[in-house]
Amino acid sequence: MNKLDIYTVLVNIFEKRSKINFDENCDLKNENLFESKIMMPARELVLTLYDIEDYFSISIPEDVILSGRFNSFNNIYDIVKKLENSINFN
């Protein structure tokens, strides 16, 4: 899948789960999903994780989630892109 497709799918998933269109709100792409500008409920982030793993047929490693890297649109985009390209996170 090319980069544009990954981006478009993530924008759609996040719009469904957070009601935020990150394509229209570019200034929020680097914001922590739990902090005051977005305030995404934890359950919605878990559902977003499941949607991403299901759509892309990938498994996001537990250490990536626990390290706090699964916390913004851009970070999640980078994670998915790396997994799609089979690049090691370490």
Side-chain angles (χ1 to χ4, degrees), residues 1 6 9-10 13 48-62 64-65 70 75-87 89:
M1 180 172 291
I6 292 170
V9 169
L10 288 179
I13 289 172
T48 300
L49 169 68
Y50 292 150
D51 289 346
I52 291 168
E53 288 183 330
D54 183 54
Y55 186 89
F56 293 103
S57 298
I58 59 174
S59 180
I60 296 175
E62 184 178 328
V64 170
I65 296 166
F70 197 83
N75 283 351
I76 294 169
Y77 171 76
D78 289 341
I79 290 165
V80 172
K81 188 171 59 171
K82 287 176 182 177
L83 286 172
E84 282 284 299
N85 293 322
S86 300
I87 296 173
F89 281 96

Side-chain angles (χ1 to χ4, degrees), residues 7-48:
Y7 176 83
T8 302
V9 169
L10 288 179
V11 165
N12 291 335
I13 289 172
F14 271 98
E15 188 166 13
K16 172 184 163 188
R17 294 294 177 192
S18 71
K19 309 297 185 245
I20 296 171
N21 183 320
F22 283 96
D23 202 31
E24 295 174 0
N25 296 284
C26 294
D27 57 316
L28 298 177
K29 288 181 184 175
N30 285 316
E31 294 293 329
N32 187 308
L33 296 169
F34 295 121
E35 291 184 359
S36 62
K37 288 188 179 180
I38 299 177
M39 294 177 55
M40 187 174 194
R43 73 177 176 280
E44 292 303 320
L45 186 57
V46 171
L47 294 172
T48 300

